[in-house]
Structures are given as C-alpha cells and as structure tokens.
Amino acid sequence: VGDDELEWLGEDLGWPTPLTSAESLLDFDERAAGVERRFRRELEAAREELLAARARYTVAKRTLATLAGYRRDCQAFLAWQEENNIGEEDWEETEAMEVPDNDADLDA
C-alpha cells in the first residue's frame, strides 16, 4: 500500500487512539468493514478486467497465428507458381475455360 492509500485510509477511518471510547471503536470497526468491502469490490472489478484482457489477448494471439499461417501458405503457393513457371496470364486462361454443367462431363 502506497502513501496515498494510507493517507486515504487514515482520513476515512480516523485511526483510533488508546483513549478512544468503545462507541468510537465500534464506529471505527464499521468504517473499517466498509473500507474492506470497497477494496473487495475493487479487487473483484480488477479480476474481471484481467479476465477480459486475457480473453482479448487469446483472441489476438490466435488471430495472429491464423494470419501467419495464411501468409506462409501464400508464400508457398507463390513459390510453387514460380517453380512451375505459372504466371497471371495462365490463371486468366483457366478462368476463361467453360466449366461442365454436370458430373457426366467431368467423368469424360
């Protein structure tokens, strides 16, 4: 706990002294319980934020892995094209070919 937090606690709780009355001690206990509840709420909120951040990290990590795989596949495909002397015009010729309408034409 840093100095700022201790200062806030001291102001909020009003630290008891040896001559503090029982009523004041009871009041102090109630205020201390309130501070504890506040810290627990803040801790729970921080845990939820951490969980959400971990989920976003996992999604980003998987997305990057997928993109890296796509990039690797594209590079392999481009290398295959180059090795087999296949250019853009070859793909254009293939696209222009008529595709058979039924499986009988494919079997032939």
Side-chain angles (χ1 to χ4, degrees):
V1 176
D3 290 340
D4 292 340
E5 286 85 1
L6 287 176
E7 183 179 323
W8 171 80
L9 282 172
E11 289 173 4
D12 193 44
L13 294 175
W15 297 108
T17 64
L19 300 176
T20 305
S21 70
E23 185 177 308
S24 294
L25 287 175
L26 181 61
D27 182 53
F28 176 82
D29 286 345
E30 289 173 4
R31 287 182 287 146
V35 169
E36 182 180 357
R37 284 189 300 273
R38 177 179 169 189
F39 278 140
R40 287 185 187 271
R41 283 191 306 269
E42 289 176 7
L43 178 60
E44 185 59 33
R47 283 183 181 150
E48 289 174 7
E49 288 177 22
L50 179 59
L51 186 61
R54 284 182 178 161
R56 287 189 299 272
Y57 169 77
T58 300
V59 169
K61 184 177 174 183
R62 288 183 183 171
T63 301
L64 288 174
T66 300
L67 291 174
Y70 290 158
R71 182 174 187 261
R72 184 182 58 245
D73 292 345
C74 288
Q75 288 175 332
F77 178 73
L78 292 172
W80 174 83
Q81 275 187 306
E82 189 173 319
E83 288 173 12
N84 292 288
N85 295 321
I86 298 175
E88 188 175 324
E89 62 280 350
D90 297 318
W91 292 113
E92 290 171 359
E93 288 175 19
T94 304
E95 288 174 1
M97 292 176 59
E98 195 169 313
V99 177
D101 289 337
N102 60 39
D103 292 338
D105 290 339
L106 291 175
D107 292 337

